[in-house]
Amino acid sequence: MAHKFDPKHKEKLDNKERREKFPPREILRRFELEKGSNMLDIGCGIGYFSIPASEIVGKEGNVYAVDTSEEMLEEVRKKIKENNIKNMVIINSDEYSARLRDNNIDFILISNVMHEIDDKDRFLKNYLNSLNIGGRLAIIEWKKVDTESGPPLKARLDDKDLENILKEHNIKLVNKLDLTDTHYGVLLEKY
């Protein structure tokens, strides 16, 4: 069974130190999220990336904030209301599907989620169906190194493991990003 983040510790997901080391808006720009995109944030948690993404995509785009935890989604709803956001849709999903229309999404973000999924192929297949041909997939994961926080080392995926999983899904590597001392990212394109 994969290691899962406990929503009871959601306060760890957004604080001054994390924003300095892991700035969401800058990371989204490095992943080339564009104005007008329809973005899917899988495992959105408290909206750490969803909220700044809604500003980047603007009124021409939409952000679909997806999570399995109603507790996490309630935090996103509060932020939507506080910030008067009009281009976000909240989706309470099961682990493998959010029941989206096929080929409706331009950009998918999966941040710190892949290591939590038992059947990664099933997960990717279901969500990649919603991604347009030429659409982008950005994945952020913990580096496979000992750190003070994060999932156990044995639960982490190094970038080579992740690339091997992704090879089976009609998606090609566009860029690898060294995001922080604890996280890496990969940007892929569906063909």
Side-chain angles (χ1 to χ4, degrees):
M1 178 115 177
H3 177 271
K4 306 271 186 202
F5 181 81
D6 187 342
K8 291 179 188 148
H9 303 294
K10 64 183 178 241
E11 75 285 346
K12 292 181 178 181
L13 300 177
D14 195 357
N15 55 59
K16 184 180 178 187
E17 182 182 351
R18 186 171 193 226
R19 285 191 174 271
E20 286 172 2
K21 290 181 178 179
F22 201 63
R25 186 177 318 282
E26 180 183 319
I27 289 170
L28 290 169
R29 289 198 193 286
R30 288 184 69 192
F31 278 126
E32 304 171 19
L33 179 62
E34 298 176 349
K35 184 176 184 175
S37 294
N38 284 327
M39 181 216 183
L40 177 61
D41 185 0
I42 302 171
C44 68
I46 60 165
Y48 189 77
F49 285 103
S50 300
I51 301 301
S54 72
E55 294 174 28
I56 293 170
V57 303
K59 61 184 177 187
E60 299 86 9
N62 290 294
V63 174
Y64 299 90
V66 176
D67 208 289
T68 60
S69 167
E70 186 56 41
E71 185 176 345
M72 295 288 208
L73 293 174
E74 193 53 42
E75 291 297 315
V76 180
R77 285 185 190 95
K78 287 177 192 173
K79 290 176 182 179
I80 289 171
K81 189 174 182 180
E82 289 168 6
N83 294 290
N84 195 29
I85 295 171
K86 304 289 186 201
N87 64 345
M88 280 184 67
V89 176
I90 301 287
I91 301 173
N92 190 331
S93 67
D94 65 36
E95 187 169 2
Y96 295 101
S97 175
R99 298 164 297 285
L100 298 162
R101 279 195 352 245
D102 288 354
N103 304 310
N104 187 44
I105 302 296
D106 305 305
F107 187 95
I108 295 176
L109 175 67
I110 306 173
S111 178
N112 295 321
V113 171
M114 288 299 294
H115 69 271
E116 295 188 355
I117 304 299
D118 287 318
D119 188 342
K120 292 167 182 45
D121 287 320
R122 177 179 168 203
F123 175 83
L124 287 166
K125 182 178 183 231
N126 286 338
Y127 279 111
L128 287 174
N129 283 338
S130 65
L131 188 64
N132 295 326
I133 300 297
R136 299 286 181 99
L137 168 64
I139 299 177
I140 299 170
E141 267 302 325
W142 289 87
K143 291 179 179 176
K144 198 156 187 160
V145 296
D146 280 318
T147 57
E148 290 180 22
S149 61
L153 188 62
K154 66 180 181 179
R156 299 178 188 204
L157 293 168
D158 69 25
D159 58 336
K160 297 293 181 212
D161 292 335
L162 185 58
E163 285 177 48
N164 286 333
I165 292 165
L166 292 162
K167 283 180 184 174
E168 307 299 318
H169 294 281
N170 296 329
I171 195 148
K172 65 181 177 182
L173 183 66
V174 173
N175 198 4
K176 285 186 191 181
L177 303 170
D178 187 21
L179 298 173
T180 69
D181 57 342
T182 57
H183 287 84
Y184 68 91
V186 292
L187 180 64
L188 306 113
E189 185 175 298
K190 185 176 178 181
Y191 60 87

